[in-house]
Amino acid sequence: MTFKKILATAIASLCVVSYAQADVTLYGIAQKSIDYGNDAADNKKFSMQDIGSRVGFKGLDKLDNGSNLLWKLETGLDKGFGSREAWIGYENKDAGTLRFGKSKGAYDLLVETFDLFESNTTLANTFQDVTYNTRHDNAIYYTSPNWGGFTANVNAVIDSTAGISSSQKGYDATVNYTHSKFAIYAGTASLKNMARKSLTGGAVVKSDSKVTSYLLGAKVFPVEGLQIGALYQNTKQDAAFAGGEFKRDSAIIMAQYEVGKWVPRVGYVYQGEGKQGNKKVLAKANHFQIGTDYNLSKSSLLYVEGAVIQNKDQNAFSTSISEGLASTPKVVSAGMILLF
C-alpha cells in the first residue's frame, strides 16, 4: 500500500469515529541515582541525578472500521507540558501507524534498543557523539505492520521553528528483521539546518549544513535470557565547519544475561578518529561499562553500574556524570527505577 493510500485511509477513517468512550492511560517512570566520578588528575564529582523521570497520558479511540485513533502527551518533571512527546496518530493493522507531532526519531529509537544500561553513564550517550538532536518538534512518523518479522519506520522532520535548539528538516528511517534467535537492524538519518555543538565546543546556529548517519547492527539470542548485540555507525557532517567534511566511525558491543532476579551486563563503545578532510581533528576514544539490575518486582528495580571513558582530548565523548572531568574519567552510579 502506497503512502498516499495510507494517508487517504487515515483521513477517511476520521469520519467514522465510534461513539464509545476513548481509553485514557496515566503512566510514568521515577528514576533517581547517586553518582560518583573522578579522573586521572584526581578531580572528583559527586551528584544526585534524575535520569529521565516523567509522567504521561496516552489514549486510544476505537473506530467502527476496526482501526484506532491514538495520542500521547509525555512530560519531563523539570520541563513544560508535553516536553517529551506530543502527538496524535492513526493505527490500522493492515496499513500500519501514522502519527503527527513531537517524538523521538526512528534512528535514535533504534540506538536505544541497543543501550541496555540504566544510568546516565549509558553507552548511547557516548555513541551518539555531537550529531544528535533526539526529539523532533514537528514530524510525521510512520511505522509499518509486522510482515513476517520485518518492520520499517520512517520519520519526516519538518523545519518550522526558529529556535536553534530544534530548527531542522530532513528524515530518518530504520528497518529490522526479528527472529527467535537473532535480529538485524539498519538505519539512516539525514538532517539539514541542524543546530548542534561544534567539534570543539560552542553552538553551530541554523544554517544549510547537514548531518548524515548510517547504522547497521545485529543481536543474537543463543539461549534463554542471554542477548549479545553489536552496532556500527558512520557519521558525516558537511562543510558547516571550515576545512571540509567531518567523518567518524563508531561501534557498540554489549551483552546481558538474566539470572533469576539479577540481570548482569557488560558493554563497550569505540569511537574512531574524527577526520576533517585528511586531517585528524579528534582522537580515538573508548568507553567500557559493567553493571547489574536487581528486580524488586515487575515494576521496580535497583541497579549499580561503573564506567571508564578513555578520552584524551575531551572530544564531546562524555556522559552527564563524566562531563567536566579531565582525561580517563571513571564513574559509578547506583539508583532505583519505578514504573507506574
Side-chain angles (χ1 to χ4, degrees):
M1 182 177 287
T2 66
F3 179 79
K4 289 183 178 179
K5 289 182 179 180
I6 294 170
L7 185 59
T9 303
I11 294 172
S13 298
L14 297 178
C15 301
V16 291
V17 178
S18 169
Y19 289 101
Q21 185 176 0
D23 296 326
V24 179
T25 302
L26 170 67
Y27 69 95
I29 178 172
Q31 187 171 359
K32 290 286 186 180
S33 70
I34 298 175
D35 312 295
Y36 172 78
N38 62 24
D39 61 19
D42 203 32
N43 296 309
K44 296 179 175 62
K45 183 178 180 181
F46 177 84
S47 63
M48 181 176 292
Q49 298 199 47
D50 182 280
I51 312 172
S53 294
R54 53 200 179 266
V55 63
F57 299 89
K58 57 185 178 181
L60 182 149
D61 196 5
K62 296 181 180 179
L63 308 182
D64 289 337
N65 67 350
S67 302
N68 299 310
L69 294 180
L70 310 173
W71 61 271
K72 180 184 282 190
L73 287 171
E74 186 176 287
T75 302
L77 298 188
D78 59 343
K79 305 293 183 181
F81 191 67
S83 58
R84 294 177 61 91
E85 294 197 48
W87 53 262
I88 58 173
Y90 169 79
E91 178 185 58
N92 180 280
K93 66 178 182 179
D94 297 319
T97 302
L98 188 66
R99 67 183 194 227
F100 309 84
K102 180 177 182 178
S103 66
K104 285 193 172 185
Y107 191 94
D108 183 64
L109 290 173
L110 188 156
V111 174
E112 285 192 354
T113 66
F114 278 81
D115 192 354
L116 302 173
F117 289 85
E118 311 286 6
S119 73
N120 273 354
T121 63
T122 50
L123 295 178
N125 282 7
T126 45
F127 183 79
Q128 290 173 349
D129 202 18
V130 297
T131 63
Y132 276 66
N133 191 335
T134 57
R135 288 186 176 81
H136 307 301
D137 287 339
N138 303 282
I140 303 172
Y141 193 114
Y142 170 71
T143 300
S144 76
N146 188 317
W147 295 307
F150 174 86
T151 57
N153 300 275
V154 180
N155 186 48
V157 183
I158 302 169
D159 184 359
S160 62
T161 59
I164 67 168
S165 64
S166 57
S167 183
Q168 58 193 277
K169 61 183 177 182
Y171 68 90
D172 55 281
T174 62
V175 294
N176 65 275
Y177 176 77
T178 303
H179 184 269
S180 60
K181 291 296 184 181
F182 67 90
I184 301 172
Y185 306 86
T188 184
S190 178
L191 292 174
K192 204 172 184 179
N193 289 1
M194 189 68 178
R196 60 190 186 273
K197 291 182 178 178
S198 71
L199 301 177
T200 56
V204 176
V205 298
K206 177 180 175 181
S207 67
D208 202 33
S209 60
K210 184 170 68 173
V211 172
T212 305
S213 298
Y214 303 94
L215 288 173
L216 183 63
K219 281 186 177 181
V220 293
F221 316 104
V223 297
E224 185 177 357
L226 174 64
Q227 60 173 293
I228 304 169
L231 185 67
Y232 163 79
Q233 175 179 256
N234 174 264
T235 296
K236 299 177 182 179
Q237 299 182 25
D238 67 13
F241 308 103
E245 186 178 58
F246 171 78
K247 300 178 181 179
R248 198 174 202 187
D249 294 320
S250 315
I252 289 180
I253 301 173
M254 62 179 65
Q256 75 171 25
Y257 183 53
E258 298 181 26
V259 185
K261 292 187 175 184
W262 294 93
V263 188
R265 55 180 62 98
V266 62
Y268 168 70
V269 171
Y270 168 79
Q271 289 275 30
E273 292 181 346
K275 293 185 177 181
Q276 199 168 5
N278 295 321
K279 180 182 178 182
K280 185 185 78 171
V281 294
L282 292 179
K284 296 178 181 178
N286 302 278
H287 178 169
F288 304 88
Q289 187 146 336
I290 189 169
T292 186
D293 292 350
Y294 179 76
N295 293 300
L296 299 172
S297 68
K298 291 182 179 180
S299 58
S300 61
L301 61 86
L302 299 172
Y303 69 84
V304 60
E305 296 173 359
V308 177
I309 299 175
Q310 295 177 338
N311 178 24
K312 294 181 180 179
D313 54 11
Q314 286 287 288
N315 53 35
F317 192 82
S318 64
T319 71
S320 60
I321 300 171
S322 66
E323 187 174 357
L325 297 175
S327 60
T328 315
K330 304 176 184 66
V331 296
V332 176
S333 178
M336 175 182 285
I337 298 175
L338 176 63
L339 304 174
F340 64 88

mmCIF file of all heavy atoms in Angstrom, residues 290-336:
data_model
loop_
_atom_site.group_PDB
_atom_site.id
_atom_site.type_symbol
_atom_site.label_atom_id
_atom_site.label_comp_id
_atom_site.label_asym_id
_atom_site.label_seq_id
_atom_site.Cartn_x
_atom_site.Cartn_y
_atom_site.Cartn_z
ATOM 1 N N ILE A 290 30.211 -1.822 32.969
ATOM 2 C CA ILE A 290 29.715 -3.068 33.544
ATOM 3 C C ILE A 290 28.669 -2.703 34.592
ATOM 4 O O ILE A 290 28.740 -1.638 35.213
ATOM 5 C CB ILE A 290 30.865 -3.899 34.162
ATOM 6 C CG1 ILE A 290 30.369 -5.281 34.564
ATOM 7 C CG2 ILE A 290 31.519 -3.169 35.334
ATOM 8 C CD1 ILE A 290 31.499 -6.232 34.931
ATOM 9 N N GLY A 291 27.684 -3.561 34.781
ATOM 10 C CA GLY A 291 26.654 -3.264 35.769
ATOM 11 C C GLY A 291 25.688 -4.413 35.925
ATOM 12 O O GLY A 291 25.797 -5.444 35.260
ATOM 13 N N THR A 292 24.716 -4.227 36.814
ATOM 14 C CA THR A 292 23.682 -5.234 37.023
ATOM 15 C C THR A 292 22.412 -4.589 37.567
ATOM 16 O O THR A 292 22.471 -3.574 38.268
ATOM 17 C CB THR A 292 24.153 -6.335 37.991
ATOM 18 O OG1 THR A 292 23.165 -7.374 38.053
ATOM 19 C CG2 THR A 292 24.374 -5.791 39.384
ATOM 20 N N ASP A 293 21.288 -5.173 37.204
ATOM 21 C CA ASP A 293 19.999 -4.838 37.810
ATOM 22 C C ASP A 293 19.643 -5.912 38.835
ATOM 23 O O ASP A 293 20.079 -7.063 38.730
ATOM 24 C CB ASP A 293 18.878 -4.816 36.763
ATOM 25 C CG ASP A 293 19.016 -3.690 35.765
ATOM 26 O OD1 ASP A 293 19.865 -2.809 35.981
ATOM 27 O OD2 ASP A 293 18.270 -3.701 34.768
ATOM 28 N N TYR A 294 18.822 -5.506 39.800
ATOM 29 C CA TYR A 294 18.173 -6.469 40.689
ATOM 30 C C TYR A 294 16.695 -6.128 40.709
ATOM 31 O O TYR A 294 16.309 -5.036 41.152
ATOM 32 C CB TYR A 294 18.743 -6.426 42.103
ATOM 33 C CG TYR A 294 18.059 -7.407 43.021
ATOM 34 C CD1 TYR A 294 18.344 -8.764 42.960
ATOM 35 C CD2 TYR A 294 17.100 -6.967 43.937
ATOM 36 C CE1 TYR A 294 17.715 -9.669 43.795
ATOM 37 C CE2 TYR A 294 16.453 -7.862 44.778
ATOM 38 C CZ TYR A 294 16.762 -9.221 44.701
ATOM 39 O OH TYR A 294 16.120 -10.106 45.519
ATOM 40 N N ASN A 295 15.859 -7.021 40.186
ATOM 41 C CA ASN A 295 14.428 -6.759 40.063
ATOM 42 C C ASN A 295 13.712 -6.959 41.394
ATOM 43 O O ASN A 295 13.646 -8.075 41.910
ATOM 44 C CB ASN A 295 13.815 -7.678 39.000
ATOM 45 C CG ASN A 295 14.322 -7.371 37.611
ATOM 46 O OD1 ASN A 295 14.142 -6.264 37.111
ATOM 47 N ND2 ASN A 295 14.977 -8.342 36.984
ATOM 48 N N LEU A 296 13.208 -5.853 41.936
ATOM 49 C CA LEU A 296 12.446 -5.925 43.179
ATOM 50 C C LEU A 296 11.046 -6.458 42.933
ATOM 51 O O LEU A 296 10.478 -7.161 43.767
ATOM 52 C CB LEU A 296 12.364 -4.533 43.802
ATOM 53 C CG LEU A 296 13.706 -3.882 44.182
ATOM 54 C CD1 LEU A 296 13.482 -2.435 44.592
ATOM 55 C CD2 LEU A 296 14.378 -4.665 45.300
ATOM 56 N N SER A 297 10.452 -6.093 41.806
ATOM 57 C CA SER A 297 9.112 -6.532 41.416
ATOM 58 C C SER A 297 9.009 -6.400 39.905
ATOM 59 O O SER A 297 9.992 -6.092 39.222
ATOM 60 C CB SER A 297 8.047 -5.669 42.109
ATOM 61 O OG SER A 297 8.067 -4.340 41.606
ATOM 62 N N LYS A 298 7.810 -6.571 39.354
ATOM 63 C CA LYS A 298 7.619 -6.422 37.915
ATOM 64 C C LYS A 298 7.775 -4.969 37.459
ATOM 65 O O LYS A 298 8.003 -4.716 36.276
ATOM 66 C CB LYS A 298 6.234 -6.940 37.515
ATOM 67 C CG LYS A 298 6.071 -8.452 37.642
ATOM 68 C CD LYS A 298 4.697 -8.895 37.173
ATOM 69 C CE LYS A 298 4.545 -10.417 37.265
ATOM 70 N NZ LYS A 298 3.206 -10.861 36.806
ATOM 71 N N SER A 299 7.656 -4.041 38.393
ATOM 72 C CA SER A 299 7.681 -2.628 38.001
ATOM 73 C C SER A 299 8.742 -1.809 38.729
ATOM 74 O O SER A 299 8.740 -0.583 38.639
ATOM 75 C CB SER A 299 6.303 -1.995 38.251
ATOM 76 O OG SER A 299 5.929 -2.119 39.607
ATOM 77 N N SER A 300 9.664 -2.463 39.445
ATOM 78 C CA SER A 300 10.702 -1.700 40.141
ATOM 79 C C SER A 300 12.002 -2.501 40.191
ATOM 80 O O SER A 300 11.991 -3.736 40.232
ATOM 81 C CB SER A 300 10.252 -1.341 41.560
ATOM 82 O OG SER A 300 10.013 -2.514 42.323
ATOM 83 N N LEU A 301 13.131 -1.775 40.196
ATOM 84 C CA LEU A 301 14.420 -2.431 40.251
ATOM 85 C C LEU A 301 15.467 -1.501 40.856
ATOM 86 O O LEU A 301 15.309 -0.275 40.874
ATOM 87 C CB LEU A 301 14.869 -2.886 38.854
ATOM 88 C CG LEU A 301 15.080 -1.824 37.770
ATOM 89 C CD1 LEU A 301 16.482 -1.224 37.799
ATOM 90 C CD2 LEU A 301 14.827 -2.438 36.390
ATOM 91 N N LEU A 302 16.535 -2.120 41.364
ATOM 92 C CA LEU A 302 17.738 -1.418 41.777
ATOM 93 C C LEU A 302 18.842 -1.717 40.771
ATOM 94 O O LEU A 302 18.852 -2.782 40.152
ATOM 95 C CB LEU A 302 18.187 -1.889 43.166
ATOM 96 C CG LEU A 302 17.212 -1.673 44.324
ATOM 97 C CD1 LEU A 302 17.741 -2.376 45.570
ATOM 98 C CD2 LEU A 302 16.996 -0.202 44.591
ATOM 99 N N TYR A 303 19.783 -0.787 40.597
ATOM 100 C CA TYR A 303 20.894 -1.057 39.701
ATOM 101 C C TYR A 303 22.164 -0.407 40.220
ATOM 102 O O TYR A 303 22.143 0.560 40.979
ATOM 103 C CB TYR A 303 20.607 -0.571 38.280
ATOM 104 C CG TYR A 303 20.555 0.931 38.135
ATOM 105 C CD1 TYR A 303 21.722 1.681 37.955
ATOM 106 C CD2 TYR A 303 19.348 1.604 38.172
ATOM 107 C CE1 TYR A 303 21.678 3.059 37.831
ATOM 108 C CE2 TYR A 303 19.286 2.980 38.037
ATOM 109 C CZ TYR A 303 20.448 3.697 37.870
ATOM 110 O OH TYR A 303 20.408 5.059 37.745
ATOM 111 N N VAL A 304 23.305 -0.947 39.788
ATOM 112 C CA VAL A 304 24.604 -0.335 40.027
ATOM 113 C C VAL A 304 25.428 -0.521 38.757
ATOM 114 O O VAL A 304 25.383 -1.586 38.134
ATOM 115 C CB VAL A 304 25.313 -0.951 41.254
ATOM 116 C CG1 VAL A 304 25.550 -2.444 41.072
ATOM 117 C CG2 VAL A 304 26.619 -0.222 41.529
ATOM 118 N N GLU A 305 26.132 0.531 38.342
ATOM 119 C CA GLU A 305 26.899 0.496 37.107
ATOM 120 C C GLU A 305 28.207 1.270 37.275
ATOM 121 O O GLU A 305 28.254 2.267 38.004
ATOM 122 C CB GLU A 305 26.101 1.105 35.946
ATOM 123 C CG GLU A 305 24.839 0.319 35.618
ATOM 124 C CD GLU A 305 23.955 0.977 34.590
ATOM 125 O OE1 GLU A 305 24.287 2.088 34.116
ATOM 126 O OE2 GLU A 305 22.907 0.375 34.262
ATOM 127 N N GLY A 306 29.237 0.823 36.606
ATOM 128 C CA GLY A 306 30.520 1.512 36.620
ATOM 129 C C GLY A 306 31.063 1.654 35.220
ATOM 130 O O GLY A 306 30.854 0.771 34.374
ATOM 131 N N ALA A 307 31.748 2.760 34.938
ATOM 132 C CA ALA A 307 32.254 3.010 33.590
ATOM 133 C C ALA A 307 33.620 3.676 33.640
ATOM 134 O O ALA A 307 33.932 4.430 34.567
ATOM 135 C CB ALA A 307 31.283 3.890 32.810
ATOM 136 N N VAL A 308 34.417 3.392 32.615
ATOM 137 C CA VAL A 308 35.693 4.066 32.390
ATOM 138 C C VAL A 308 35.686 4.599 30.970
ATOM 139 O O VAL A 308 35.414 3.854 30.020
ATOM 140 C CB VAL A 308 36.893 3.109 32.568
ATOM 141 C CG1 VAL A 308 38.198 3.832 32.246
ATOM 142 C CG2 VAL A 308 36.921 2.553 33.982
ATOM 143 N N ILE A 309 35.954 5.902 30.810
ATOM 144 C CA ILE A 309 35.968 6.530 29.489
ATOM 145 C C ILE A 309 37.389 6.995 29.178
ATOM 146 O O ILE A 309 37.921 7.867 29.863
ATOM 147 C CB ILE A 309 34.987 7.716 29.428
ATOM 148 C CG1 ILE A 309 33.554 7.241 29.696
ATOM 149 C CG2 ILE A 309 35.073 8.416 28.076
ATOM 150 C CD1 ILE A 309 32.533 8.356 29.765
ATOM 151 N N GLN A 310 38.000 6.404 28.183
ATOM 152 C CA GLN A 310 39.332 6.804 27.746
ATOM 153 C C GLN A 310 39.169 7.842 26.629
ATOM 154 O O GLN A 310 38.846 7.500 25.499
ATOM 155 C CB GLN A 310 40.114 5.583 27.251
ATOM 156 C CG GLN A 310 40.383 4.578 28.359
ATOM 157 C CD GLN A 310 41.102 3.342 27.853
ATOM 158 O OE1 GLN A 310 41.045 3.033 26.673
ATOM 159 N NE2 GLN A 310 41.783 2.638 28.745
ATOM 160 N N ASN A 311 39.388 9.092 26.975
ATOM 161 C CA ASN A 311 39.030 10.204 26.110
ATOM 162 C C ASN A 311 40.087 11.283 26.245
ATOM 163 O O ASN A 311 39.951 12.206 27.030
ATOM 164 C CB ASN A 311 37.650 10.726 26.527
ATOM 165 C CG ASN A 311 37.212 11.905 25.711
ATOM 166 O OD1 ASN A 311 37.652 12.106 24.593
ATOM 167 N ND2 ASN A 311 36.340 12.708 26.294
ATOM 168 N N LYS A 312 41.160 11.185 25.477
ATOM 169 C CA LYS A 312 42.328 12.035 25.688
ATOM 170 C C LYS A 312 42.075 13.515 25.429
ATOM 171 O O LYS A 312 42.652 14.376 26.079
ATOM 172 C CB LYS A 312 43.480 11.548 24.800
ATOM 173 C CG LYS A 312 43.990 10.166 25.175
ATOM 174 C CD LYS A 312 45.135 9.745 24.273
ATOM 175 C CE LYS A 312 45.642 8.369 24.641
ATOM 176 N NZ LYS A 312 46.748 7.930 23.755
ATOM 177 N N ASP A 313 41.223 13.822 24.448
ATOM 178 C CA ASP A 313 41.097 15.226 24.074
ATOM 179 C C ASP A 313 39.735 15.831 24.398
ATOM 180 O O ASP A 313 39.359 16.859 23.846
ATOM 181 C CB ASP A 313 41.401 15.420 22.579
ATOM 182 C CG ASP A 313 40.552 14.513 21.701
ATOM 183 O OD1 ASP A 313 39.609 13.901 22.226
ATOM 184 O OD2 ASP A 313 40.835 14.428 20.495
ATOM 185 N N GLN A 314 38.971 15.210 25.301
ATOM 186 C CA GLN A 314 37.673 15.751 25.714
ATOM 187 C C GLN A 314 36.836 16.130 24.494
ATOM 188 O O GLN A 314 36.319 17.230 24.355
ATOM 189 C CB GLN A 314 37.871 16.968 26.623
ATOM 190 C CG GLN A 314 38.345 16.614 28.022
ATOM 191 C CD GLN A 314 37.248 15.978 28.866
ATOM 192 O OE1 GLN A 314 36.300 16.645 29.285
ATOM 193 N NE2 GLN A 314 37.343 14.695 29.106
ATOM 194 N N ASN A 315 36.653 15.182 23.580
ATOM 195 C CA ASN A 315 36.021 15.472 22.293
ATOM 196 C C ASN A 315 34.513 15.203 22.287
ATOM 197 O O ASN A 315 33.993 14.571 21.385
ATOM 198 C CB ASN A 315 36.696 14.667 21.179
ATOM 199 C CG ASN A 315 36.734 13.177 21.502
ATOM 200 O OD1 ASN A 315 35.817 12.640 22.104
ATOM 201 N ND2 ASN A 315 37.807 12.506 21.108
ATOM 202 N N ALA A 316 33.821 15.715 23.277
ATOM 203 C CA ALA A 316 32.370 15.532 23.408
ATOM 204 C C ALA A 316 31.992 14.068 23.608
ATOM 205 O O ALA A 316 30.859 13.691 23.436
ATOM 206 C CB ALA A 316 31.629 16.101 22.189
ATOM 207 N N PHE A 317 32.957 13.239 23.968
ATOM 208 C CA PHE A 317 32.731 11.826 24.255
ATOM 209 C C PHE A 317 32.612 11.713 25.768
ATOM 210 O O PHE A 317 33.588 11.471 26.470
ATOM 211 C CB PHE A 317 33.920 11.021 23.728
ATOM 212 C CG PHE A 317 33.709 9.528 23.681
ATOM 213 C CD1 PHE A 317 33.029 8.944 22.631
ATOM 214 C CD2 PHE A 317 34.204 8.712 24.679
ATOM 215 C CE1 PHE A 317 32.861 7.577 22.568
ATOM 216 C CE2 PHE A 317 34.036 7.339 24.629
ATOM 217 C CZ PHE A 317 33.365 6.768 23.567
ATOM 218 N N SER A 318 31.418 11.958 26.288
ATOM 219 C CA SER A 318 31.228 12.010 27.739
ATOM 220 C C SER A 318 29.780 11.709 28.076
ATOM 221 O O SER A 318 28.929 11.586 27.205
ATOM 222 C CB SER A 318 31.603 13.395 28.273
ATOM 223 O OG SER A 318 30.731 14.380 27.749
ATOM 224 N N THR A 319 29.503 11.574 29.363
ATOM 225 C CA THR A 319 28.141 11.414 29.842
ATOM 226 C C THR A 319 27.848 12.552 30.808
ATOM 227 O O THR A 319 28.715 13.347 31.150
ATOM 228 C CB THR A 319 27.976 10.065 30.576
ATOM 229 O OG1 THR A 319 28.682 10.133 31.821
ATOM 230 C CG2 THR A 319 28.535 8.915 29.746
ATOM 231 N N SER A 320 26.612 12.634 31.264
ATOM 232 C CA SER A 320 26.258 13.722 32.175
ATOM 233 C C SER A 320 27.017 13.630 33.493
ATOM 234 O O SER A 320 27.211 14.628 34.177
ATOM 235 C CB SER A 320 24.748 13.703 32.453
ATOM 236 O OG SER A 320 24.378 12.477 33.046
ATOM 237 N N ILE A 321 27.467 12.431 33.854
ATOM 238 C CA ILE A 321 28.242 12.264 35.081
ATOM 239 C C ILE A 321 29.703 12.636 34.858
ATOM 240 O O ILE A 321 30.315 13.329 35.661
ATOM 241 C CB ILE A 321 28.140 10.811 35.589
ATOM 242 C CG1 ILE A 321 26.678 10.453 35.892
ATOM 243 C CG2 ILE A 321 28.984 10.616 36.839
ATOM 244 C CD1 ILE A 321 26.455 8.996 36.187
ATOM 245 N N SER A 322 30.272 12.199 33.731
ATOM 246 C CA SER A 322 31.699 12.432 33.499
ATOM 247 C C SER A 322 31.998 13.814 32.938
ATOM 248 O O SER A 322 33.151 14.236 32.935
ATOM 249 C CB SER A 322 32.244 11.376 32.535
ATOM 250 O OG SER A 322 31.667 11.518 31.251
ATOM 251 N N GLU A 323 31.001 14.533 32.457
ATOM 252 C CA GLU A 323 31.245 15.848 31.870
ATOM 253 C C GLU A 323 31.912 16.780 32.882
ATOM 254 O O GLU A 323 31.489 16.887 34.027
ATOM 255 C CB GLU A 323 29.914 16.464 31.411
ATOM 256 C CG GLU A 323 30.077 17.761 30.641
ATOM 257 C CD GLU A 323 28.757 18.253 30.092
ATOM 258 O OE1 GLU A 323 27.737 17.562 30.267
ATOM 259 O OE2 GLU A 323 28.754 19.324 29.483
ATOM 260 N N GLY A 324 32.976 17.447 32.464
ATOM 261 C CA GLY A 324 33.719 18.336 33.350
ATOM 262 C C GLY A 324 34.931 17.685 33.964
ATOM 263 O O GLY A 324 35.815 18.373 34.480
ATOM 264 N N LEU A 325 34.992 16.339 33.906
ATOM 265 C CA LEU A 325 36.184 15.636 34.378
ATOM 266 C C LEU A 325 37.206 15.578 33.246
ATOM 267 O O LEU A 325 36.850 15.584 32.073
ATOM 268 C CB LEU A 325 35.821 14.227 34.838
ATOM 269 C CG LEU A 325 34.852 14.145 36.024
ATOM 270 C CD1 LEU A 325 34.482 12.698 36.298
ATOM 271 C CD2 LEU A 325 35.450 14.790 37.267
ATOM 272 N N ALA A 326 38.483 15.506 33.589
ATOM 273 C CA ALA A 326 39.542 15.514 32.581
ATOM 274 C C ALA A 326 39.712 14.115 31.989
ATOM 275 O O ALA A 326 38.793 13.306 32.022
ATOM 276 C CB ALA A 326 40.834 16.023 33.208
ATOM 277 N N SER A 327 40.895 13.789 31.486
ATOM 278 C CA SER A 327 41.101 12.554 30.744
ATOM 279 C C SER A 327 40.861 11.316 31.602
ATOM 280 O O SER A 327 41.100 11.299 32.799
ATOM 281 C CB SER A 327 42.529 12.507 30.196
ATOM 282 O OG SER A 327 43.464 12.562 31.246
ATOM 283 N N THR A 328 40.344 10.284 30.949
ATOM 284 C CA THR A 328 40.043 8.978 31.545
ATOM 285 C C THR A 328 39.186 9.090 32.804
ATOM 286 O O THR A 328 39.588 8.665 33.894
ATOM 287 C CB THR A 328 41.338 8.206 31.854
ATOM 288 O OG1 THR A 328 42.227 8.309 30.745
ATOM 289 C CG2 THR A 328 41.048 6.734 32.105
ATOM 290 N N PRO A 329 37.989 9.659 32.709
ATOM 291 C CA PRO A 329 37.100 9.682 33.869
ATOM 292 C C PRO A 329 36.585 8.284 34.199
ATOM 293 O O PRO A 329 36.384 7.452 33.312
ATOM 294 C CB PRO A 329 35.957 10.600 33.421
ATOM 295 C CG PRO A 329 35.973 10.527 31.936
ATOM 296 C CD PRO A 329 37.406 10.340 31.547
ATOM 297 N N LYS A 330 36.404 8.053 35.489
ATOM 298 C CA LYS A 330 35.811 6.814 35.986
ATOM 299 C C LYS A 330 34.584 7.188 36.791
ATOM 300 O O LYS A 330 34.647 8.068 37.646
ATOM 301 C CB LYS A 330 36.810 6.051 36.854
ATOM 302 C CG LYS A 330 38.138 5.745 36.171
ATOM 303 C CD LYS A 330 39.097 5.086 37.144
ATOM 304 C CE LYS A 330 40.458 4.853 36.507
ATOM 305 N NZ LYS A 330 41.155 6.127 36.183
ATOM 306 N N VAL A 331 33.458 6.522 36.533
ATOM 307 C CA VAL A 331 32.215 6.891 37.212
ATOM 308 C C VAL A 331 31.516 5.638 37.731
ATOM 309 O O VAL A 331 31.615 4.562 37.146
ATOM 310 C CB VAL A 331 31.268 7.678 36.280
ATOM 311 C CG1 VAL A 331 31.887 8.997 35.871
ATOM 312 C CG2 VAL A 331 30.913 6.867 35.045
ATOM 313 N N VAL A 332 30.798 5.808 38.848
ATOM 314 C CA VAL A 332 29.975 4.750 39.428
ATOM 315 C C VAL A 332 28.600 5.339 39.700
ATOM 316 O O VAL A 332 28.483 6.461 40.200
ATOM 317 C CB VAL A 332 30.576 4.203 40.734
ATOM 318 C CG1 VAL A 332 29.642 3.184 41.358
ATOM 319 C CG2 VAL A 332 31.943 3.596 40.487
ATOM 320 N N SER A 333 27.561 4.605 39.339
ATOM 321 C CA SER A 333 26.200 5.080 39.521
ATOM 322 C C SER A 333 25.362 3.974 40.150
ATOM 323 O O SER A 333 25.436 2.816 39.736
ATOM 324 C CB SER A 333 25.595 5.491 38.168
ATOM 325 O OG SER A 333 24.266 5.920 38.324
ATOM 326 N N ALA A 334 24.550 4.337 41.159
ATOM 327 C CA ALA A 334 23.623 3.401 41.798
ATOM 328 C C ALA A 334 22.268 4.079 41.901
ATOM 329 O O ALA A 334 22.191 5.257 42.254
ATOM 330 C CB ALA A 334 24.120 2.998 43.178
ATOM 331 N N GLY A 335 21.207 3.369 41.544
ATOM 332 C CA GLY A 335 19.909 4.026 41.562
ATOM 333 C C GLY A 335 18.750 3.052 41.608
ATOM 334 O O GLY A 335 18.917 1.834 41.681
ATOM 335 N N MET A 336 17.543 3.643 41.547
ATOM 336 C CA MET A 336 16.291 2.883 41.581
ATOM 337 C C MET A 336 15.386 3.379 40.470
ATOM 338 O O MET A 336 15.346 4.577 40.170
ATOM 339 C CB MET A 336 15.594 3.032 42.932
ATOM 340 C CG MET A 336 14.211 2.362 42.993
ATOM 341 S SD MET A 336 13.386 2.598 44.587
ATOM 342 C CE MET A 336 14.323 1.454 45.601
#
